[in-house]
Amino acid sequence: MEAVRRPTPTTPGLGMVLGGGGARGAYQVGLLRAIARRYPHLQVPILVGVSAGAVNTTHIASHRGTFADCMEDLVRHWCSMTPDQVFRVDASSLATNVLRSGFRLVAGGQAHPEQFRGMVDTEPLRHFLHRVLEPAADGSLPGIDHNLQRGSLRAVALCATSYTTSQSVTWVQGRGIATWERPQRRAEQAQLSVEHVMASTALPLLFPAARVGSEWFGDGGIRLTAPLSPALHLGASRIITISTRYDRSQAEADRPQVAGYPPPAQVLGVLYNAVFLDLIDQDVVRLERLNKLVERMPVDQRAGLRVVDMLVLRPSRDLGRLASEYEPRLPRVFRFLTRGLGTKRTESPDILSLVMFQEDYLRRLIELGESDAERQWERIAPFIEAEPERISAVR
């Protein structure tokens, strides 16, 4: 059934936070596509992206067309993606990186750092982003400046982790934006580029770090303890955040996912979930508690704290478990390596879902995102169409 278009709402304080999840970022695109069908001219003036969410965020911020046009282009780009457009999957390249990794481990730290730059070579991803984002000769993204000047965008922020200083860094490009500092977190004004996106998406150990300025950076989710914070600092009064983490019931959470000693795939899956997916859920809980506390306080005693409305959207299925259905169609050499990590021994190979950039799995995630949006429309529409009366608490 074709979606019924609705009047374009006024959204001056609307922010959107798109978190990590590697290939799971396709789910975010499907959900946003369903929203765009009803609100083709929707404007989201405050955008924050982390890890895979940085790819989607940057595309939205730099696209010159309508929200609906933007989503259709983003769906097309995701559906054209293959593993060899993200990292080199040929046998020689994978073998070289594995051997370098092993040599680094047995060399007692004496090997040159160049010997190990991640398990896979992500130069294809850099080429893909250049083709999609069309940067200028100086590396900047003209579409972002265009949208800032016409007023459809107020600010866009990308988060990364500095391996050089061990800080969480948020790069911000926007109009009238003041930066901020918190313990182990800092914001910097920047002219965003493909290299900023590469830095935010650099999965630790798997993908090589990216250099921005004089520092080396990895995935933005590593040290970002408050994923919603950048949107609040940028002035969001309402925040839509799309998690790629399935909310398991207590019975599902208690069910063992692996029998016997955990294989590396299970250990890595738990680790990556804790770093990239759990933090946003914890931050949502903290902000909800803060909202309740602020609501009970007299206005003149709130000391600058204000209530923030939130809409959290998440998949109705376990994306890790779903990935196992598509694992047999991975490139043979890459499939050999992932099975060596024990992805066949766990019921929910979350680590596999992060790197499964293949068309059939990505299309399935997009379809799931669209269907989930339809099922949750009674939550989505009132949130988007609500008249904003409350503005953000700054943390």
Side-chain angles (χ1 to χ4, degrees):
M1 184 175 64
E2 185 176 354
V4 177
R5 291 190 177 185
R6 302 174 70 90
T8 303
T10 302
T11 55
L14 183 61
M16 183 161 62
V17 178
L18 299 180
R24 299 183 185 199
Y27 174 81
Q28 298 172 345
V29 176
L31 203 150
L32 291 174
R33 184 193 205 182
I35 294 176
R37 285 181 175 146
R38 286 181 167 83
Y39 305 106
H41 299 282
L42 180 69
Q43 293 183 357
V44 184
I46 299 170
L47 298 168
V48 178
V50 185
S51 192
V55 176
N56 294 333
T57 293
T58 308
H59 184 275
I60 297 169
S62 61
H63 197 279
R64 296 171 184 256
T66 66
F67 188 59
D69 292 337
C70 174
M71 286 304 111
E72 290 306 313
D73 284 347
L74 198 49
V75 167
R76 177 169 53 84
H77 292 314
W78 273 92
C79 288
S80 70
M81 195 176 291
T82 55
D84 60 1
Q85 288 181 307
V86 180
F87 42 78
R88 292 197 171 116
V89 296
D90 57 282
S92 60
S93 178
L94 288 173
T96 298
N97 279 286
V98 170
L99 289 174
R100 282 179 175 173
S101 304
F103 177 68
R104 179 67 174 166
L105 289 173
V106 302
Q110 300 303 311
H112 192 277
E114 297 292 328
Q115 292 289 341
F116 179 56
R117 286 204 172 200
M119 293 293 292
V120 296
D121 182 351
T122 55
E123 191 61 24
L125 176 59
R126 180 176 281 105
H127 292 309
F128 178 83
L129 291 174
H130 272 272
R131 177 166 56 85
V132 170
L133 298 175
E134 299 179 344
D138 63 356
S140 65
L141 303 176
I144 294 180
D145 280 328
H146 171 80
N147 290 327
L148 288 171
Q149 291 174 12
R150 72 173 184 169
S152 61
L153 179 67
R154 178 180 175 185
V156 54
L158 303 182
C159 304
T161 302
S162 172
Y163 291 139
T164 306
T165 68
S166 298
Q167 292 179 306
S168 175
V169 178
T170 299
W171 294 299
V172 182
Q173 186 173 346
R175 296 179 284 116
I177 299 301
T179 57
W180 61 91
E181 288 187 3
R182 294 291 185 272
Q184 294 302 315
R185 289 188 282 152
R186 75 177 194 264
E188 297 179 357
Q189 293 193 13
Q191 195 82 6
L192 296 179
S193 68
V194 167
E195 292 311 306
H196 292 96
V197 181
M198 290 294 294
S200 185
T201 59
L203 291 167
L205 299 181
L206 290 179
F207 290 4
R211 186 172 184 174
V212 177
S214 61
E215 297 181 50
W216 290 92
F217 292 88
D219 196 290
I222 300 174
R223 298 214 66 168
L224 188 60
T225 55
L228 301 177
S229 180
L232 302 180
H233 283 291
L234 295 173
S237 57
R238 295 179 295 151
I239 298 175
I240 298 175
T241 182
I242 304 175
S243 172
T244 58
R245 178 71 179 270
Y246 169 65
D247 189 18
R248 295 186 295 170
S249 67
Q250 190 59 50
E252 290 173 316
D254 291 339
R255 186 181 306 137
Q257 297 180 5
V258 62
Y261 193 85
Q266 181 70 11
V267 176
L268 288 172
V270 172
L271 174 63
Y272 275 64
N273 279 341
V275 172
F276 302 118
L277 302 182
D278 293 353
L279 289 179
I280 197 164
D281 291 332
Q282 295 168 9
D283 205 26
V284 166
V285 171
R286 285 195 295 267
L287 189 52
E288 288 174 341
R289 289 176 177 173
L290 181 58
N291 279 342
K292 293 178 181 178
L293 177 63
V294 173
E295 285 176 336
R296 294 175 182 174
M297 297 171 61
V299 175
D300 60 351
Q301 296 181 17
R302 292 182 179 181
L305 294 175
R306 292 164 288 191
V307 176
V308 181
D309 293 323
M310 287 183 300
L311 175 65
V312 183
L313 302 171
R314 63 179 71 252
S316 59
R317 290 194 59 183
D318 184 331
L319 303 187
R321 188 183 297 269
L322 186 62
S324 63
E325 300 176 15
Y326 295 86
E327 184 265 354
R329 290 186 283 279
L330 278 170
R332 180 176 299 178
V333 176
F334 193 69
R335 185 174 69 245
F336 176 79
L337 292 177
T338 57
R339 288 186 176 181
L341 293 173
T343 54
K344 297 295 289 183
R345 288 184 51 205
T346 174
E347 292 187 6
S348 182
D350 290 322
I351 189 66
L352 184 62
S353 70
L354 296 178
V355 296
M356 187 170 280
F357 294 94
Q358 59 185 52
E359 181 184 359
D360 50 1
Y361 180 62
L362 298 177
R363 285 187 179 276
R364 181 68 187 92
L365 294 186
I366 291 171
E367 292 170 357
L368 180 62
E370 291 184 78
S371 62
D372 283 351
E374 296 295 333
R375 281 195 291 267
Q376 300 183 72
W377 197 249
E378 291 184 358
R379 295 177 58 224
I380 296 173
F383 184 87
I384 292 178
E385 297 178 11
E387 289 295 328
E389 296 178 353
R390 303 186 293 184
I391 53 180
S392 67
V394 176
R395 294 187 295 156

